[in-house]
Amino acid sequence: HLNQPAKSKYFKPEDFQDNHITELFYLLSNFLDLIRQHRRLISTYYLEYLSGADQKKLEQLCSGSFANTVGPEAAVALQNLLDSISEIDIQNDHDLNWKEPRMHWFRAEASLVSGRPVALPLVASGMASIKSVIAHTMYVDSLDELISRYVSLRDLWWFREDVKKIYEKSISDGPDQPIHALSYLKLLSRFPECAYQFDPSERTRIGEECVRYAEEFLSTIASRIHSVIEVIAAKHIVFDNQIAQSNAIYKILEKKEDFKPDKHYQPPESPGSESAFKSRLGIEELRLYQRNVWQLCSALNEFNSIIIYDTVI
């Protein structure tokens, strides 16, 4: 909806824009980091699940009418899967590869479609249980593959110009987007995965462009911090000038009856006048600038380094 928001007389185009997309990138990135960090804990959990409830369920399927209904090829594949689960050593099998038993079952599953007909209502419950077991084996040995297949944001590469526009908006748009702005660098580190596997040069092209984007993103943050600090400094210079000696003299002169100022004379601001109710918008703007600088500096301070293609940023 970014470029072509739905047309409606009740809504404005801005209503279709997500002002928290940067925070979403940040939370998703941290969530994936936690999954990778605790992969062994996840593996242990599903190994225990496989050797417990899943093993009992497969034993029931192998010894019941399900095995006779699906035919000999599927029954052999099911027994092969059960044998693999029966040999699990929870303490030492974190690197166990379940690909062969899975492929054996997938071939048998395909034969149910191409071979003799099977009444689906009779096997639906059992097939759902086996599908759950297969998923659990993948959580043990194929976690990175599942993350890459279902959770990766690498396909946003094809919308990189739109991502760039959202980033440029995020570094100045509150309330909490600027502090998460560097999550876009992690996004850039995933973009080279979009390269076509049979064209190695494409990965190089995407990688080099991602590095250029990263340098441009960091430069944009630095420029934003510099420009906002200049605005804040100019405001504080004005505040300090309110108590300058020359302004104090003007206040004394204004009380004299014979004082006739120049026609271009602008009376100086009274000290503390920025706190007046009528000046609240200016003060609120200054607070927002200060918050923005603090958020961007905090983001840079918390960020260590990241590898984008072949460059450490």
Side-chain angles (χ1 to χ4, degrees):
H1 301 298
L2 183 63
N3 297 321
Q4 295 180 339
K7 294 181 179 179
S8 172
K9 63 180 181 180
Y10 301 106
F11 302 101
K12 299 178 292 185
E14 294 79 11
D15 295 332
F16 295 90
Q17 297 178 6
D18 189 347
N19 293 326
H20 298 280
I21 192 70
T22 302
E23 184 181 8
L24 178 63
F25 287 155
Y26 170 79
L27 294 175
L28 180 58
S29 175
N30 280 14
F31 178 64
L32 295 180
D33 288 343
L34 284 174
I35 291 177
R36 295 187 179 98
Q37 180 182 348
H38 299 289
R39 66 171 66 246
R40 187 173 181 83
L41 186 62
I42 296 172
S43 175
T44 299
Y45 173 82
Y46 282 105
L47 282 173
E48 292 179 353
Y49 205 121
L50 285 163
S51 62
D54 285 343
Q55 182 177 345
K56 291 179 181 180
K57 187 62 180 179
L58 290 182
E59 288 173 349
Q60 293 174 3
L61 293 175
C62 288
S63 60
S65 60
F66 179 84
N68 296 327
T69 305
V70 296
E73 185 176 354
V76 170
L78 186 60
Q79 186 62 49
N80 184 23
L81 183 60
L82 176 59
D83 292 341
S84 301
I85 292 176
S86 302
E87 298 171 357
I88 287 177
D89 181 355
I90 296 176
Q91 300 301 324
N92 301 314
D93 280 350
H94 292 276
D95 297 325
L96 190 64
N97 191 331
W98 298 81
K99 186 175 181 179
E100 184 177 346
R102 283 199 298 267
M103 292 304 297
H104 194 179
W105 171 253
F106 290 153
R107 285 192 294 269
E109 194 176 32
S111 71
L112 297 179
V113 179
S114 59
R116 67 184 183 86
V118 177
L120 291 179
L122 299 177
V123 298
S125 177
M127 296 295 285
S129 298
I130 297 171
K131 182 178 180 181
S132 176
V133 173
I134 294 295
H136 293 168
T137 63
M138 296 188 73
Y139 297 151
V140 174
D141 68 350
S142 304
L143 200 56
D144 285 332
E145 180 183 340
L146 293 174
I147 290 174
S148 177
R149 185 186 304 173
Y150 297 113
V151 192
S152 175
L153 297 174
R154 62 178 178 270
D155 289 334
L156 288 176
W157 163 254
W158 309 113
F159 307 94
R160 54 192 178 275
E161 289 302 322
D162 291 330
V163 170
K164 181 181 177 182
K165 292 176 183 177
I166 295 173
Y167 167 79
E168 290 173 347
K169 182 181 178 182
S170 73
I171 64 174
S172 59
D173 190 25
D176 55 359
Q177 288 204 105
I179 202 168
H180 303 312
L182 292 184
S183 59
Y184 287 87
L185 295 185
K186 289 188 177 181
L187 194 61
L188 290 174
S189 70
R190 296 295 174 186
F191 283 170
E193 297 173 7
C194 285
Y196 187 51
Q197 59 179 328
F198 298 113
D199 184 6
S201 63
E202 186 177 28
R203 182 177 177 83
T204 302
R205 290 196 300 272
I206 294 177
E208 290 175 349
E209 190 166 353
C210 286
V211 171
R212 181 179 62 79
Y213 271 116
E215 292 173 346
E216 187 176 337
F217 283 4
L218 290 174
S219 177
T220 304
I221 287 183
S223 298
R224 172 68 182 178
I225 292 173
H226 180 267
S227 61
V228 173
I229 287 178
E230 283 190 332
V231 173
I232 294 173
K235 288 283 187 180
H236 281 280
I237 289 173
V238 171
F239 296 156
D240 289 342
N241 192 50
Q242 292 175 1
I243 56 175
Q245 293 181 356
S246 57
N247 289 338
I249 293 173
Y250 274 117
K251 288 295 182 182
I252 295 173
L253 291 175
E254 286 176 349
K255 295 179 180 180
K256 292 188 175 184
E257 296 180 358
D258 58 345
F259 176 65
K260 295 182 179 180
D262 184 81
K263 63 179 180 178
H264 300 297
Y265 168 73
Q266 293 289 336
E269 291 285 342
S270 300
S273 59
E274 71 279 356
S275 301
F277 182 75
K278 65 179 181 180
S279 304
R280 63 190 183 281
L281 294 180
I283 285 295
E284 182 60 26
E285 182 182 23
L286 182 60
R287 289 195 185 101
L288 292 176
Y289 277 136
Q290 290 174 332
R291 183 183 70 180
N292 188 216
V293 169
W294 177 84
Q295 288 177 325
L296 292 176
C297 290
S298 296
L300 290 173
N301 186 54
E302 292 177 7
F303 188 79
N304 295 319
S305 64
I306 188 172
I307 298 177
I308 299 179
Y309 186 50
D310 59 353
T311 303
V312 178
I313 300 295

